[in-house]
Amino acid sequence: MKAFRCFLALLPMSGWVLGDVPEDDEAKGEGAAAACGEYRGVEKKLVSRWCVPSGQVSRVLPLPDPMFSEVDSVKGKAYDAAARLSVPLGDVAKLPWTGRVTAGEDGWMRAEPCVSPFWPTVRVFRFFVEPSAFVEGKLEVACPQVCRVYVDGKQVAEKLERQSAGVKAGTMCPKVAWERRRYEVVVKVLSMPWDWTAPSVKADFVSVKSKQAVNVAFPDGYGRAPVTIEALNEAPRVAWCSVSPNGEYVLSRVERLLPDGKSQASFEVRRVADDAVVMVADDARRYRWMPRGARLMFTAMQGENECALKAYDVEKRAEEVLVEGLPFKDVSYAWAPDESFLVATVTERFEEKGKEKDFKRFVNMADRDPKWRDRSFLYLVDRDSGRMRRLTAGVGDAELCDISPDGSKVLFAVSRVDYSKRRYAVHDLWVMDPRSMACEALLRDVPFSVSSASWSPDGRKLLIVSDADAFGGVGLDLPEGYVANGFDRQAFLFDVESRQAEPITRKFAPSVVSAVWGGDGRVYLGVVEGDVNAVYAYDPASVSFSRVAVPDVSAGVFSVSRCREGFRPVMAALGQSMLSPSRLYVGDVSSGQFRCVSDPAAAHMAKWELPKVEKWEFTNSEGSRIDGFYVLPARMEEGRKYPMITYFYGGTNPSKQVFNAHYPALLYAAQGYVVYVPQPSGAVGYGQAFSALHVNGWGKRNAQDIIEGVKRFCEEHAFVDAAHVGCIGASYGGYMSMFLQSQTDLFAAAVSHAGISDLSGYWGGGLWGYAYNADAAAGSMPWSENGLFVEQSPLYAAEKMNTPLLLVHGDADRNVPVNESMKMFTALKLLGKPVELVTFKGEDHFILDYKRRKQWIKSHLAWFDRWLKEDADWWNALYPEKDSW
């Protein structure tokens, strides 16, 4: 008998269609047959029903019942049809598909019978649906057998009773609200033993609004799908990299966001010689390279509050304990180059006591930050004994900058509040012998900040990143009357003996983000260059720059060996573009040859249909070149005009060509919009004179550039529907979205996230408002520059604004308080202007919670659909009107 059963199991479970298929349901809705399987392209027609023309069907999947399934469970439940349908099948895309099945004239998709004499079987039908716009309706699925229906992996309906042959099939009608994207519909059909009925499915989508004009396509599922919110946010990426001191290995960190909103990360170590992965680990240990060789440092907990520092030798694959009994909480450790000692940075948290818990006297404006009273101090840690000796105290924060190559000096910075200075702070740069405690101030009470400072390989100079007007203004390259933009950072070589600073980037247009010494004596700079990040090498001997040719549009994070002895010219860098998340490149900085060694998103991105990205620039009425780029929908059709979204920031940082920016142009394009991104006057990365236009500009110059750019772009690109152009921006860009509507009626809709409506309100109420204005409004105060703080505040021009405006804001925003949007909402409501306000609970300046972030992005798109596509269905579904209100 056992052999007979095995023989039957080997028989192909296909054969004769002996059972009857139920008769077709009556046609529902005008034009049902005509719409069956038709993709209507750009022409909008009022169609209320679409029938699915074809799909995929799997091979027969045996589903043997488990032992003792005839006995009810302890909960009194039988192993029934619902239990059988709940058996997981794994990744649906990897099931053994037999090919496509086409619906007959009656609309039914039929597979061959699943005849099994001993156990149940399952056949899976799968098809895809792509609405051209948001649509609400019912998914009518008819099937004679027991079945369950899933949309994008989530169960939406089931039928647990089987209809007999010749009887009208039962129909499941789950309600769906579908956005403009691709949906996967899976129908799992269960057949019991000796069931000769052919598994059959008939599926129709019925719109609940007869006047809704939507096109529906039914792709085969093999091609790429339109980009979604999930496609962008859940793409894995290489987030960080570091070259080992000996130049033989590269450590990298790969991150991804999971569908539930949690993050997942892992470390990988690659051998440079052959790119082989020699180690993979989760991120619990937070690995970093030791100063010598190829050993990774990590912390291991010892009890509740203490830890041990350990090292893992990549080549020997062995661990060793370095120091034990060290504090763990609020501490970071840095090794001396010879590994003889460490410097610990310990943060002491301020705790309110007694009456201070009920009230607070603010010491200064910075005291509004709940963390401002925390202080960081430096400690020397002896490697042999683990003993910690305090190096700094007092009221100032001590920030470790570097340890000299010979380990004899510790370089650190201290900052203090000083409201007599333009940027409201003064800074010291100290050098200390950690053993003798002898200290010397290299810089004292200077009014410019030190973003970073590091020793040259020979210990004679410091590489300092600071303001252009640092060191008495030796780094300035401005026309007369211009004021330097403090956000446009410059690099200097500071001679320790002579105390003279050499401005190496004075004539260098890109803005410096990071700077490190290489073991070859060259300086490597991470910069903002126009609308991308780039890496440059500076040779002090020849006083020349050369761009490191990382083969991608934008290259930000990078690492190069700092060891002088046995220096290997190896660099690791992360490259990305608007169409690809960051991937890892490794190369030779001498030859300029790089190769991609890790692209964790390659398989993920292969699923998605990507738009086209092009550069475009124009010369404004002032004679300045305004850079920019645009993104086109992937499925553009000849002769059709498309609505356009203009995205900008304007707050001195350019909007870069990076993957999944906070305002995802790829997603906008997938929704059928052209996206134009200008870089208005005042942006860094285009030279000091251009970035200085940000100072005391606050809107007017930016608005002029944006208006001119949009008009010129529409004139030069016939595919843009100039009557349906919208704009969106955040923070300073949110301010610009408001301000622009007081200057022009060019836009048909606008979105402002965390925007500033009243400059004096932000100046005094925003956590960094007064400090930001130290550059953005240098020397200008509300009481002295009424023209700037009033006339350039959107709130005081509300009566001029006619464009429908969506205001979105995190209700816990400390940088730009939500009151800035509240004020504009109040003004426009009282004026009877079209305005909406949506706040996000518990969110700060950025909407970071994944669930809320999805709603936030959908709100933007639904608002634009409402006004740029004249389709309010999505907006009304997200935010239904309340009749009682």
Side-chain angles (χ1 to χ4, degrees), residues 151-180:
V151 175
D152 284 350
K154 296 181 180 179
Q155 179 184 332
V156 297
E158 67 179 3
K159 184 172 73 67
L160 300 179
E161 294 183 0
R162 181 188 183 283
Q163 273 72 39
S164 301
V167 178
K168 190 173 183 180
T171 302
M172 298 158 285
C173 299
K175 292 182 179 180
V176 294
W178 279 346
E179 301 158 11
R180 179 180 169 131

Side-chain angles (χ1 to χ4, degrees), residues 568-752:
R568 298 184 65 186
V570 175
M571 175 180 284
L574 306 187
Q576 63 173 312
S577 70
M578 290 197 67
L579 306 181
S580 174
S582 53
R583 42 201 168 194
L584 177 63
Y585 292 89
V586 174
D588 187 315
V589 292
S590 299
S591 66
Q593 298 298 311
F594 280 78
R595 61 194 181 278
C596 180
V597 299
S598 177
D599 186 2
H604 175 85
M605 294 307 298
K607 304 174 185 177
W608 307 105
E609 189 175 58
L610 299 177
K612 186 178 182 181
V613 182
E614 297 283 353
K615 291 285 291 180
W616 186 80
E617 63 180 47
F618 72 99
T619 301
N620 67 11
S621 56
E622 302 290 330
S624 298
R625 181 181 69 88
I626 303 301
D627 193 15
F629 61 90
Y630 62 95
V631 186
L632 300 178
R635 302 178 185 178
M636 289 191 72
E637 299 177 26
E638 190 72 28
R640 180 183 173 184
K641 287 186 176 292
Y642 291 81
M644 185 172 82
I645 296 173
T646 304
Y647 170 68
F648 41 74
Y649 176 54
T652 206
N653 284 319
S655 303
K656 302 189 191 83
Q657 291 194 59
V658 294
F659 184 79
N660 194 26
H662 284 285
Y663 299 84
L666 268 66
L667 182 62
Y668 298 164
Q671 294 294 313
Y673 292 99
V674 172
V675 185
Y676 169 48
V677 184
Q679 314 293 352
S681 299
V684 303
Y686 297 94
Q688 291 186 38
F690 191 83
S691 68
L693 296 173
H694 175 71
V695 181
N696 281 306
W698 270 113
K700 285 192 174 181
R701 184 69 179 258
N702 306 97
Q704 177 182 317
D705 288 345
I706 293 167
I707 292 169
E708 289 183 13
V710 169
K711 287 181 177 179
R712 291 273 296 275
F713 189 89
C714 292
E715 290 170 0
E716 295 184 19
H717 299 88
F719 50 74
V720 176
D721 181 354
H724 292 90
V725 175
C727 66
I728 184 171
S731 196
Y732 192 106
Y735 157 78
M736 286 304 305
S737 279
M738 296 186 212
F739 184 74
L740 276 164
Q741 311 325 310
S742 70
Q743 306 295 305
T744 181
D745 289 327
L746 177 64
F747 299 103
V751 177
S752 168

Side-chain angles (χ1 to χ4, degrees), residues 334-368:
W335 283 94
D338 63 359
E339 301 182 6
S340 61
F341 67 90
L342 302 94
V343 174
T345 301
V346 179
T347 300
E348 296 182 2
R349 303 295 180 188
F350 179 81
E351 295 183 8
E352 296 176 339
K353 298 179 180 179
K355 296 180 179 179
E356 291 182 349
K357 293 183 178 180
D358 300 320
F359 58 85
K360 177 178 180 177
R361 172 186 174 266
F362 288 87
V363 177
N364 51 43
M365 288 91 79
D367 199 17
R368 294 177 299 178

